[in-house]
Amino acid sequence: MQKYDISNNKKCITANPTKGLALVAEGGGQRGVFTAGILDSWLLNDFNPFDLLIGTSAGAQNLSSYITKQAGYAKKSIMELSKHPNFFNIKRPLIGKSIVNLDWYFDQIDSSSHRLNIDCANAQMENRRLLVSATKAQDLTPSFFEPKNDGWLAPLKASSALPFLYKQGVKIGDTHYVDGGVASPIPIQEAYAQGAKTIVTIRTVPSDYEVKMQWAHKLKSWLCHKNKCPKVLDIITEHENSYKDALNFIKTPPKGVKIIEISPPKPLASKLLGSSDLALQADYEMGFKMGTQFIKNASCELLHH
């Protein structure tokens, strides 16, 4: 098993990125270990030609450690912190607490042994941008934070605040936010809105995956009356519709826009939560191999897009 010193394992200085080239990272909880493998392979090859990076939930956390050049950081966070009983405990609601303890998780992220190298990240973003997606809890519309200007941990926490698993959401300013995956599960449209012409998107499910939640629509028709509807159903259907919109964008992008998708060839062994170490390690290694192969096959094409 490859090990890294996450404190300072890469120099911060990088070449200028390629204008109009964006990287988008999907969420997926512990399935993000696949993305971590891809990005670690790129870090170890000094490959980061992107001038815009946008991530949702676990994807945002992965991109953060990519921009800080801390190879191994995301894998360590997933395999150690997200598996810790202090973070995920299905029995916690019995004592009136959330199943997922994001407060504890981000306390660890802010500690010396798991701290992001923010100075390096800010240096990287002199010539590139990182955006983190979150969803406004009140109306389920997407928002995008720029950590360099808006701070790091609060947007990352908001982007990862799974509705009902972390009950209160995250308050930034006067607004409460929940997981970015509700309104922007694959924030590829935002990359286009920001001017990207070539977009690389890292998925945590196979490319032919489609959201199928007909039961949610049926249940909504039974339970929703006079514009009143249980919030959970609104969240499910908003996620479904947003996901379908993103898939349609990937399949039929606007004229002049090129999309390159990196996705696992089959469903990952890891899950949203509760994955085994063997599953996480296997998915990480798959991502690392695919990331290495991507550089060999596509890097020249990207740099001259």
Side-chain angles (χ1 to χ4, degrees), residues 229-291:
C229 191
K231 193 72 171 179
V232 64
L233 295 179
D234 284 341
I235 287 172
I236 290 171
T237 52
E238 176 62 31
H239 168 76
E240 179 193 52
N241 293 334
S242 298
Y243 208 103
K244 287 181 177 178
D245 289 344
L247 293 181
N248 288 334
F249 188 96
I250 291 171
K251 291 175 182 177
T252 56
K255 185 177 179 180
V257 174
K258 182 178 183 179
I259 296 176
I260 302 171
E261 188 177 28
I262 306 174
S263 59
K266 60 182 181 179
L268 294 173
S270 50
K271 302 175 290 186
L272 182 70
L273 291 166
S275 309
S276 69
D277 286 343
L278 286 176
L280 292 170
Q281 183 63 31
D283 289 343
Y284 175 84
E285 291 176 1
M286 180 195 300
F288 195 96
K289 290 177 182 177
M290 291 183 67

Side-chain angles (χ1 to χ4, degrees), residues 33-146:
V33 77
F34 170 76
T35 306
I38 291 172
L39 297 181
D40 278 356
S41 75
W42 292 358
L43 280 175
L44 295 177
N45 284 280
D46 284 320
F47 178 75
N48 184 356
F50 308 101
D51 76 338
L52 175 66
L53 305 94
I54 310 180
T56 291
S57 194
Q61 293 189 48
N62 267 301
L63 291 183
S64 295
S65 58
Y66 181 50
I67 207 74
T68 62
K69 307 197 81 174
Q70 289 172 281
Y73 181 99
K75 180 188 179 186
K76 179 181 174 69
S77 297
I78 292 169
M79 296 195 71
E80 294 183 8
L81 298 184
S82 78
K83 285 177 62 64
H84 198 285
N86 284 346
F87 174 66
F88 173 61
N89 189 331
I90 198 71
K91 297 180 180 179
R92 197 176 284 122
L94 297 176
I95 56 173
K97 296 184 178 180
S98 298
I99 292 175
V100 169
N101 189 346
L102 273 188
D103 300 323
W104 175 85
Y105 183 93
F106 278 91
D107 282 346
Q108 310 313 304
I109 295 296
D110 201 29
S111 69
S112 57
S113 60
H114 289 88
R115 184 167 292 138
L116 286 166
N117 189 342
I118 303 302
D119 289 339
C120 180
N122 288 333
Q124 290 275 350
M125 288 188 292
E126 288 298 319
N127 53 11
R128 52 170 56 87
R129 297 173 66 206
L130 171 67
L131 301 180
V132 173
S133 78
T135 301
K136 289 183 181 178
Q138 183 176 4
D139 58 9
L140 302 183
T141 56
S143 292
F144 294 89
F145 293 93
E146 195 160 357

